[in-house]
Amino acid sequence: MRRKPTVDPQTRILDAAENAVAECGFAGASLRRIAQEARVNLATVYYYFRSKRGLVEAVLKRRFGPLREEHLALLREFEAANPGRPLPVEKILEAMLVPPLRLAAQDSARRQAVRRLFGRIVGEPNAETQEMLRHLRMESRTAFLKALQRSLPEAPRADLLWSVEFVSGALAFTLCNPRELEVETRGACNPANTEKVLAEMIRFFSAGFHALGRRPRKG
Amino acid sequence: MRRKPTVDPQTRILDAAENAVAECGFAGASLRRIAQEARVNLATVYYYFRSKRGLVEAVLKRRFGPLREEHLALLREFEAANPGRPLPVEKILEAMLVPPLRLAAQDSARRQAVRRLFGRIVGEPNAETQEMLRHLRMESRTAFLKALQRSLPEAPRADLLWSVEFVSGALAFTLCNPRELEVETRGACNPANTEKVLAEMIRFFSAGFHALGRRPRKG
DNA sequence: GCCCGTTTAGAACGAACGTTTAATTAGATG
DNA sequence: CATCTAATTAAACGTTCGTTCTAAACGGGC
């Protein structure tokens, strides 16, 4: 029954905790069930992660920590292709969307948990969690805003900030409950089709950004 | 200390439960604390709502149940203004956005709880909860899609479905953590300013919808 | 008067929770 | 082999949880 005895206990615990938090929320996730699913003694969880809060933070950092570097790397890559010139909004959107979409499109065993984890953190108002995520998102958000301002110099900064927020929200919402969307649309929308989602979002949102660029002042 | 002795116990319980779920999630909300905050005996909660699940369902139905009627009423009202003609997408967007925005803009005592409740239900993958919300959203979603298809006959149905999803996501995301957004943007974006949010979303998303109408086939 | 829906009080149930402690194992080092 | 450290275990701590139960009070309507 033991599938991969080579995976170290910390990873097994993190995987199990990710499943539990995704399914039951932060408060509903039980350390005992996590330890059981990870085939690990309950005290081992404390040995590695000190407390439940420490475990949850490790879960979030493992998944969402690398996103910042991927965001910045994609921006740099696109800018290197056409040095000195402002990026087209379509490329900026691609840099924003591709890393989370890739994250939510990995192997099917983890996919559902990762997607639901997105939804959990969005709705979690706990101050510590929010502060941690704010810190994780801050740097890439600044980079995206700077790129957008260069690409759409006529657009007011506040409008661009709002729009970035709207894109983030649409992305999070689309990722976190994929099955529901497929059911509700009777299969017309399949969030597992990453390329399709990316194309739809770029098409829809780039029009919004271009409209901002065309209107120099708020009407 | 008793502020409003006129409010009946059921309402006090629902208010307290709303606070608790918003703050601690469905699993983290404690009936004992809810009863205490509602200045009600623990048994009274069971007397009225049978179980914790029953209480949670009552909380959700009270808040999100009226949304469907408001959505449909707004659509009817706008259509009555120009009978027979397809609604402009700006009006459809207004009908989609105004009821939730109004809901999240009520008196300051309840506002924060209502907004956080939005985030909680978005991230909650519990099958029963999702099924209940699906049922609540289905009718108005169909009405919005129909109006959009009349207004943008060239746009593929799947694209419109996706776009409606994106709008819903952006709205939910914007509503559920207002303070964070204001902090992160250093005050440039204030989600409590309902008119501003509405104007920003209509401007941004209507451009996206118009772009769909202009492209008859997927490129 | 009494009845009945409502509300309170108090206690208890078993279960599950986060956390801690002390003892034990396994592996490397000397 | 003895020793030291890291890893792992079993057991227990006290608390809180959802839920149920009983008994008693309250208040308006027939």
Side-chain angles (χ1 to χ4, degrees):
Chain A
M1 206 36 126
R2 318 207 158 191
R3 306 168 204 171
K4 292 185 180 182
T6 64
V7 180
D8 58 313
Q10 316 184 35
T11 306
R12 294 206 309 273
I13 295 172
L14 284 174
D15 287 346
E18 190 169 79
N19 289 339
V21 171
E23 211 62 35
C24 309
F26 293 97
S30 150
L31 290 184
R32 283 179 167 81
R33 270 208 279 270
I34 290 171
Q36 194 175 347
E37 186 183 330
R39 307 189 312 276
V40 147
N41 190 277
L42 174 58
T44 309
V45 180
Y46 284 88
Y47 177 78
Y48 282 116
F49 301 100
R50 294 198 29 185
S51 68
K52 182 178 183 178
R53 164 118 226 116
L55 174 60
V56 166
E57 282 184 4
V59 167
L60 297 183
K61 282 209 174 105
R62 178 177 73 150
R63 281 295 169 224
F64 303 113
L67 278 185
R68 183 187 50 188
E69 279 74 19
E70 294 177 34
H71 275 143
L72 300 178
L74 266 184
L75 271 183
R76 275 197 300 269
E77 175 187 329
F78 291 162
E79 277 166 355
N82 262 4
R85 294 246 285 277
L87 275 176
V89 289
E90 287 80 4
K91 279 307 202 182
I92 303 176
L93 275 169
E94 193 178 333
M96 288 181 64
L97 301 174
V98 162
L101 282 173
R102 261 210 299 249
L103 183 58
Q106 50 188 330
D107 66 297
S108 61
R110 300 238 58 75
R111 191 165 47 208
Q112 196 180 19
V114 172
R115 286 170 172 264
R116 291 185 166 174
L117 199 62
F118 266 99
R120 292 296 186 184
I121 59 168
V122 167
E124 177 65 46
N126 175 279
E128 298 177 50
T129 308
Q130 285 295 332
E131 177 59 24
M132 174 185 151
L133 292 168
R134 194 184 69 79
H135 189 260
L136 284 178
R137 282 184 59 194
M138 195 179 49
E139 197 172 345
S140 40
R141 158 191 250 116
T142 308
F144 287 131
L145 184 66
K146 208 167 284 182
L148 284 169
Q149 282 185 298
R150 278 219 302 161
S151 183
L152 304 167
E154 311 271 3
R157 206 181 89 100
D159 290 7
L160 291 178
L161 280 170
W162 275 116
S163 306
V164 169
E165 202 65 16
F166 297 156
V167 174
S168 303
L171 177 67
F173 193 76
T174 306
L175 287 184
C176 74
N177 265 315
R179 189 162 306 178
E180 288 306 316
L181 179 58
E182 202 175 358
V183 169
E184 289 186 53
T185 64
R186 294 205 193 89
C189 301
N190 178 17
N193 187 342
T194 305
E195 289 84 6
K196 175 74 173 167
V197 176
L198 180 64
E200 289 284 346
M201 297 193 81
I202 288 183
R203 184 196 304 187
F204 190 67
F205 290 125
S206 64
F209 278 115
H210 283 132
L212 288 185
R214 267 183 259 113
R215 294 207 205 179
R217 293 273 161 186
K218 43 179 141 182
Chain B
M1 204 37 124
R2 317 208 159 190
R3 306 169 205 171
K4 294 186 179 180
T6 64
V7 179
D8 57 312
Q10 316 184 36
T11 305
R12 293 206 310 271
I13 295 173
L14 285 174
D15 287 346
E18 192 170 77
N19 289 338
V21 171
E23 209 63 35
C24 309
F26 294 97
S30 151
L31 290 185
R32 283 179 169 83
R33 271 207 278 271
I34 289 172
Q36 196 175 345
E37 186 183 329
R39 306 189 311 276
V40 145
N41 191 276
L42 175 59
T44 310
V45 180
Y46 283 90
Y47 177 78
Y48 280 116
F49 302 101
R50 294 196 29 182
S51 68
K52 182 178 183 179
R53 165 118 225 116
L55 174 58
V56 166
E57 282 183 5
V59 166
L60 297 182
K61 283 209 172 107
R62 179 178 71 150
R63 282 293 169 225
F64 303 113
L67 279 184
R68 183 187 50 190
E69 279 75 20
E70 294 178 33
H71 275 143
L72 300 178
L74 266 185
L75 271 182
R76 274 196 302 268
E77 175 187 327
F78 291 162
E79 278 166 356
N82 262 3
R85 294 245 286 276
L87 275 176
V89 290
E90 287 80 5
K91 279 308 205 183
I92 303 176
L93 274 170
E94 192 179 334
M96 287 180 65
L97 301 175
V98 162
L101 282 174
R102 262 209 298 250
L103 183 57
Q106 50 188 330
D107 66 299
S108 61
R110 299 239 58 75
R111 189 165 48 205
Q112 195 179 19
V114 172
R115 285 170 173 264
R116 292 185 165 174
L117 199 62
F118 265 99
R120 293 296 185 183
I121 60 167
V122 167
E124 177 65 46
N126 176 279
E128 296 177 51
T129 308
Q130 284 296 332
E131 177 59 25
M132 175 186 150
L133 291 169
R134 194 184 69 79
H135 188 261
L136 284 179
R137 283 185 57 194
M138 193 178 51
E139 198 172 342
S140 39
R141 158 190 251 116
T142 308
F144 288 130
L145 184 67
K146 209 167 282 181
L148 283 169
Q149 282 185 299
R150 277 219 305 160
S151 182
L152 305 166
E154 311 271 3
R157 204 181 90 99
D159 290 6
L160 291 178
L161 280 170
W162 274 117
S163 306
V164 169
E165 203 64 17
F166 297 154
V167 174
S168 304
L171 177 67
F173 193 76
T174 306
L175 287 184
C176 74
N177 265 314
R179 189 162 306 179
E180 289 305 319
L181 179 58
E182 202 174 358
V183 170
E184 288 187 55
T185 63
R186 293 203 194 90
C189 301
N190 178 16
N193 186 342
T194 305
E195 288 85 5
K196 174 74 173 167
V197 176
L198 180 64
E200 288 284 344
M201 296 192 83
I202 289 183
R203 185 197 300 187
F204 190 67
F205 291 126
S206 65
F209 278 116
H210 283 131
L212 288 184
R214 269 182 258 112
R215 294 207 204 180
R217 293 273 161 185
K218 45 178 141 182

